Amino acid sequence: MLRFNDIADRVLEYDPDCDLALLQRAYVYTAKVHEGQERLSGEPYLIHPLEVAGVLVDMRLDAVTIAAGMLHDTVEDTLTTVDEIKRLFGEDVAFLVEGLTKISKVEFSSAQARMAENFRKMLVAMSQDIRILLIKLADRLHNMRTLHFLSESKAHRVATETLDIYVPLSHRLGIHWMKRELEDLAFRTLHPDEVDELEQNLRGRHAERQEYIDEVRGILEVRLRDAGLEADITGRLKDLASIHAKMVRQGTGLDKIYDVIAFRIVLAGDTGAVYHALGLVHSIWPPVSGRFKDYIALPKSNGYQSLHTTVIGPYGERMEIQLRTDAMHM
């Protein structure tokens, strides 16, 4: 269980001057008003607002946002009023909590799935402060992490809603790690048989994949170092949801899906270092035609910048490589 001291310590790491007194008051108050309430897991309800606050800390947000995250359910689920929140925690916190309360009152069901795009637009329109959406995403992420405590029908409804609304929102906001986790959790809920089959097949090739990742990393590290480029290189298996989507899209089995491993090269230096590294990558392995995207020259609408390329790597297997600077990665 996440504790308040854990949250406070992590906030101080990136914001030494944060208002810890505000966070302490928010924690004590939410613990008081939610006392006696339980989650479906049987755990104290307090765990949920603390976990939401923890996700907000992962996003390195300010004390006001974290406090609002701890208080986000108080108006909806207790006798607390917005005026009381304003009196105790200030107008900024009250504004965020009130915005979250309004969003929570909007009903969504699987029968309305076709309205998801309109619903997303409404969420954005209602959220006069982007932090309202960030707290809502953090709330949804923790709920998805505990989805197994719901009935199958309700879990399916929440997972479908997550795919239709919250995955696209997190993607549009550029929070890729959250988008990936939400998508993976929803996929595991909606397609358990496919998940079991994929995991079983992939598990048998784990050692082989790790050797492949190590080999590619070794080649890249030597070539980049020889060129005077400092870089952090990581390789990972793509998410089950994206692998499954590619299998469906191509109408083939896992044994025919080759680019299931993705690499990321994060370079010290400026944009020139990224293009230099791209040239080195293409000198080692031939690029796949039509699979290069320059999000540095033409950034995405949310500000995302990177180079994406797919190459024919060792043993004739396709692999995706992303290249960016430290600043772009942050």
Side-chain angles (χ1 to χ4, degrees), residues 169-204:
L169 267 178
S170 56
H171 176 67
R172 186 65 59 87
L173 292 173
I175 315 172
H176 187 64
W177 66 268
M178 182 181 286
K179 180 251 186 188
R180 283 176 51 199
E181 185 173 352
L182 288 172
E183 197 169 42
D184 181 68
L185 291 169
F187 178 66
R188 290 176 180 276
T189 299
L190 296 171
H191 304 284
D193 293 339
E194 288 87 342
V195 168
D196 289 343
E197 183 178 356
L198 279 173
E199 287 187 331
Q200 183 175 349
N201 290 333
L202 291 169
R203 191 180 301 119

Side-chain angles (χ1 to χ4, degrees), residues 47-307:
I47 287 177
H48 175 62
L50 283 177
E51 290 291 343
V52 169
V55 175
L56 297 172
V57 171
D58 288 339
M59 290 190 276
R60 301 170 67 89
L61 292 172
D62 60 293
V64 167
T65 309
I66 298 167
M70 283 192 276
L71 297 162
H72 76 277
D73 277 335
T74 54
V75 173
E76 182 182 8
D77 293 342
T78 75
L79 298 177
T80 302
T81 64
V82 173
D83 286 339
E84 187 172 3
I85 295 293
K86 185 182 299 184
R87 178 175 60 83
L88 294 173
F89 303 102
E91 290 190 4
D92 288 346
V93 173
F95 174 78
L96 297 179
V97 172
E98 185 176 22
L100 288 156
T101 304
K102 289 179 179 177
I103 288 178
S104 68
K105 291 180 180 178
V106 179
E107 295 294 330
F108 178 87
S109 68
S110 56
Q112 295 171 300
R114 64 187 181 278
M115 300 296 292
E117 179 63 30
N118 289 334
F119 187 80
R120 283 196 296 270
K121 291 177 180 177
M122 181 196 60
L123 281 178
V124 174
M126 290 174 64
S127 298
Q128 300 170 15
D129 189 312
I130 191 67
R131 293 176 296 180
I132 295 173
L133 287 184
L134 296 179
I135 298 170
K136 186 63 182 175
L137 284 169
D139 172 52
R140 175 51 58 114
L141 180 58
H142 182 244
N143 283 332
M144 287 296 294
R145 287 172 175 172
T146 56
L147 205 58
H148 53 284
F149 291 110
L150 300 182
S151 66
E152 183 177 347
S153 61
K154 189 169 183 180
H156 276 220
R157 180 181 67 80
V158 174
T160 300
E161 177 183 279
T162 298
L163 283 177
D164 288 341
I165 298 171
Y166 296 99
V167 166
L169 267 178
S170 56
H171 176 67
R172 186 65 59 87
L173 292 173
I175 315 172
H176 187 64
W177 66 268
M178 182 181 286
K179 180 251 186 188
R180 283 176 51 199
E181 185 173 352
L182 288 172
E183 197 169 42
D184 181 68
L185 291 169
F187 178 66
R188 290 176 180 276
T189 299
L190 296 171
H191 304 284
D193 293 339
E194 288 87 342
V195 168
D196 289 343
E197 183 178 356
L198 279 173
E199 287 187 331
Q200 183 175 349
N201 290 333
L202 291 169
R203 191 180 301 119
R205 298 162 58 185
H206 175 75
E208 177 185 335
R209 284 197 317 275
Q210 191 57 52
E211 288 179 6
Y212 184 87
I213 290 173
D214 292 341
E215 179 178 349
V216 170
R217 284 187 61 209
I219 294 170
L220 288 170
E221 285 172 353
V222 170
R223 292 296 296 271
L224 293 173
R225 184 171 62 245
D226 289 348
L229 296 173
E230 181 182 343
D232 178 49
I233 304 167
T234 56
R236 65 170 179 84
L237 181 71
K238 288 186 177 180
D239 306 302
L240 294 184
S242 63
I243 294 174
H244 180 260
K246 183 167 292 188
M247 290 168 57
V248 172
R249 189 166 60 248
Q250 297 182 4
T252 188
L254 180 62
D255 58 326
K256 300 297 183 182
I257 301 295
Y258 299 111
D259 52 340
V260 298
I261 296 177
F263 291 87
R264 177 180 296 149
I265 302 174
V266 181
L267 293 124
D270 56 15
T271 300
V274 183
Y275 287 102
H276 187 182
L278 175 71
L280 291 172
V281 169
H282 286 173
S283 71
I284 304 170
W285 302 294
V288 176
S289 178
R291 292 300 303 272
F292 172 70
K293 294 180 181 178
D294 189 340
Y295 293 119
I296 294 179
L298 296 171
K300 290 187 179 183
S301 58
N302 59 19
Y304 173 87
Q305 288 187 293
S306 280
L307 299 180

